[in-house]
């Protein structure tokens, strides 16, 4: 960015600050369906709900019990849980490499897809592990793939859903509502994770390995909602992101594909003439970022 571009952007920010200085947005406005902030608020709420539905809260809290279900003793299950957290620590660093290179939607959808596959595999391997003696299958033959699936599921959450969902509210709320939007995001995060963590032991004790199938379905819901209703906010200024909500109100639909011909499904990139709008192929965007 050159000096002239920097001065122009500074001027725009100062002008926007002046325009917003006299406006006041309260929590009541954010939950008023007729208010412009209602749509961004619902996007924020559903993002946190969907993050809780990924099932990572259960994996993080009840990891040892899951490894015991796969056939390991208490001590080894605790060691495996520690190994899972260490793997999680390293894998989640890929989030900051990818979130701007491929976009928020791509990271979220990729995380949902990986989690669905991993939980389906855990359902299969958990069932085979519980019946391995009757079926004559060596326990390690199904327990080890189950461990790999759980490690990958944890990494998929760390890359796709851990930080990304916290980034989006900062890009869709104006300064006059950003504090309120962040507060709503934190409150919904707490309530959603409380509900999932509270229900998990009840479901786990009654459903056993079928609980993983439940999480596969909740991740499917999260992925479908994200695909249809989560706009791509990366690579755009607040004003450009606000255009999505304005256009959605005019179009009478919150579906991303129906707002401005689906322009907000992908990252923007500069055309040869300097305008914004079309979608750059994914591999080219990653190459340019690297």
């Amino acid at each position: 960015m050159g000096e002239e571009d920097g001065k122009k952007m500074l001027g725009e920010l100062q002008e926007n600050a002046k325009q917003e200085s006299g406006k006041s947005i309260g929590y009541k406005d954010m939950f008023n369906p007729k208010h412009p902030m209602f749509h961004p608020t619902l996007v924020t709420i559903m993002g946190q709900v969907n993050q809780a539905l990924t099932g990572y809260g259960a994996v993080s809290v009840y990891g040892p019990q899951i490894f015991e279900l796969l056939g390991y003793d208490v001590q080894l299950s605790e060691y495996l849980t520690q190994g899972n957290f260490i793997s999680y620590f390293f894998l989640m660093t890929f989030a900051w490499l990818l979130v701007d290179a491929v976009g928020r939607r791509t990271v979220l959808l990729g995380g949902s897809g990986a989690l669905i596959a991993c939980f389906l595999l855990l359902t299969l391997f958990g069932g085979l592990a519980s019946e391995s003696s009757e079926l004559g299958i060596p326990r390690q033959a199904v327990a080890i793939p189950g461990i790999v699936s759980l490690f990958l599921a944890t990494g998929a959450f760390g890359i796709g859903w851990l930080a990304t969902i916290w980034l989006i509210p900062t890009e869709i709320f104006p300064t006059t509502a950003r504090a309120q939007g962040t507060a709503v995001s934190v409150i919904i995060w707490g309530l959603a994770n409380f509900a999932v963590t509270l229900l998990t032991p009840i479901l786990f004790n009654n459903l056993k390995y079928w609980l993983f199938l439940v999480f596969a379905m909740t991740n499917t819901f999260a992925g479908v909602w994200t695909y249809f209703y989560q706009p791509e906010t990366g690579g755009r200024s607040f004003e450009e992101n606000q255009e999505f909500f304005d256009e959605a109100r005019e179009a009478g639909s919150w579906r991303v594909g129906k707002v401005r011909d689906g322009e907000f499904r992908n990252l923007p990139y500069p055309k040869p003439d300097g305008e914004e709008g079309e979608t750059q192929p994914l591999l080219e965007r990653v190459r340019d970022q690297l």
Side-chain angles (χ1 to χ4, degrees):
M1 178 183 293
E3 183 177 351
E4 290 299 322
D5 292 331
K7 290 180 179 179
K8 180 180 179 182
M9 184 172 292
L10 176 61
E12 292 175 354
L13 291 173
Q14 291 174 334
E15 181 63 28
N16 289 332
K18 290 179 181 178
Q19 293 176 357
E20 294 176 359
S21 61
K23 298 180 181 179
S24 177
I25 299 175
Y27 291 103
K28 186 177 179 180
D29 297 323
M30 299 175 74
F31 290 94
N32 180 357
K34 296 182 180 180
H35 197 276
M37 288 298 103
F38 180 70
H39 189 176
T41 301
L42 261 292
V43 168
T44 299
I45 289 173
M46 288 306 301
Q48 291 293 358
V49 169
N50 289 334
Q51 186 196 58
L53 291 178
T54 59
Y56 177 72
V59 172
S60 62
V61 176
Y62 300 101
Q65 288 79 6
I66 295 174
F67 288 117
E68 287 179 37
L69 180 66
L70 293 171
Y72 295 102
D73 60 36
V74 175
Q75 186 178 41
L76 184 54
S77 294
E78 291 177 351
Y79 289 152
L80 288 169
T81 302
Q82 291 175 348
N84 192 21
F85 284 136
I86 293 172
S87 172
Y88 173 57
F89 173 78
F90 287 105
L91 288 175
M92 69 182 182
T93 59
F94 283 96
W96 65 269
L97 292 173
L98 295 172
V99 70
D100 285 324
V102 302
R104 284 76 166 128
R105 273 172 55 91
T106 301
V107 170
L108 291 171
L109 292 172
S112 291
L115 284 162
I116 292 168
C118 289
F119 279 123
L120 288 175
L121 289 172
L122 278 168
T123 305
L124 172 63
F125 295 132
L128 291 174
S130 65
E131 304 292 337
S132 59
S133 57
E134 289 81 358
L135 297 174
I137 301 173
R139 183 175 289 272
Q140 296 289 359
V142 292
I144 292 176
I147 292 172
V148 173
S149 299
L150 188 56
F151 274 49
L152 291 176
T154 305
F157 172 83
I159 296 171
W161 284 89
L162 175 64
T164 309
I165 213 65
W166 293 98
L167 182 61
I168 293 171
T170 66
E171 299 172 326
I172 62 176
F173 285 109
T175 54
T176 51
R178 195 160 296 159
Q180 297 92 317
T182 302
V184 169
S185 183
V186 171
I187 291 170
I188 297 301
W189 170 82
L191 292 174
N193 280 279
F194 168 78
V196 171
T197 306
L198 179 67
L199 289 173
T200 294
I202 300 172
L203 296 174
F204 192 78
N205 289 334
N206 289 276
L207 299 178
K208 303 299 181 184
Y209 58 86
W210 291 111
L211 176 61
F212 303 131
L213 183 60
V214 174
F215 286 142
M217 291 187 290
T218 57
N219 274 284
T220 299
F221 172 83
V224 169
W225 195 95
T226 300
Y227 178 81
F228 283 111
Y229 299 110
Q230 175 62 59
E232 176 53 65
T233 58
R236 293 183 170 92
S237 65
F238 163 73
E239 290 74 19
E240 291 169 330
N241 283 323
Q242 197 60 42
E243 289 176 9
F244 168 79
F245 299 106
D246 295 337
E247 295 278 347
R249 193 160 52 249
E250 293 180 7
S253 174
W254 287 10
R255 286 183 57 179
V256 180
K258 290 190 175 182
V259 177
R260 199 185 285 179
D261 297 324
E263 179 180 318
F264 289 87
R265 286 186 296 192
N266 304 94
L267 283 172
Y269 84 104
K271 296 179 183 179
D273 59 2
E275 295 179 0
E276 299 272 334
E278 292 186 1
T279 304
Q280 185 181 26
L282 176 60
L283 292 178
E284 291 184 16
R285 296 205 303 272
V286 175
R287 182 197 63 197
D288 293 343
Q289 289 291 329
L290 298 176

